[in-house]
Amino acid sequence: MPINPTPSPTATAAAPVSRTPEIHISSLVIQHSPAQTDAIQAAASAIDGLDWCVSENGKAVVTLVTSSAGAVMDRIAALNALPGVHTVTMVYHHYESADAIDGTTDGPVASHAAP
């Protein structure tokens, strides 16, 4: 039986999904060549939303703040592509609506927002 790629006349297009803006907070461990720490730190620090926290003996801890899970994965791929990086491992990931983190809605995060 041949497959007909033409949609039936009764098929309707899916309505676009309205999404609330999100904030994704992640913590990553980068295992890398100790001899390339400075170059890796410089390149990683140029990645939007990334904060280099600490490194020692070929391991670094960074935090990452993005607007989507896809952006987190894109940043991990960019880090993995850097010369001297062996692995990048996500050790923490949390997301909430941007409104909750900004303190504009009631919720557990809003009560901890800075004035």
Side-chain angles (χ1 to χ4, degrees):
M1 172 183 268
I3 298 175
N4 183 358
T6 306
S8 76
T10 59
T12 58
V17 176
S18 172
R19 296 189 184 218
T20 303
E22 298 175 337
I23 301 292
H24 290 250
I25 303 167
S26 305
S27 177
L28 312 172
V29 172
I30 303 170
Q31 293 184 326
H32 59 85
S33 170
Q36 293 182 287
T37 299
D38 292 340
I40 292 168
Q41 181 177 0
S45 295
I47 294 174
D48 189 39
L50 187 138
D51 184 32
W52 186 278
C53 299
V54 66
S55 63
E56 185 176 339
N57 299 324
K59 291 183 183 173
V61 176
V62 301
T63 57
L64 187 59
V65 179
T66 64
S67 61
S68 69
V72 173
M73 298 310 295
D74 290 345
R75 304 305 194 284
I76 290 172
L79 290 166
N80 270 317
L82 295 175
V85 170
H86 304 304
T87 62
V88 178
T89 305
M90 181 188 300
V91 293
Y92 177 80
H93 177 247
H94 176 79
Y95 72 95
E96 292 197 33
S97 73
D99 290 343
I101 291 180
D102 288 342
T104 57
T105 62
D106 292 332
V109 174
S111 64
H112 300 291

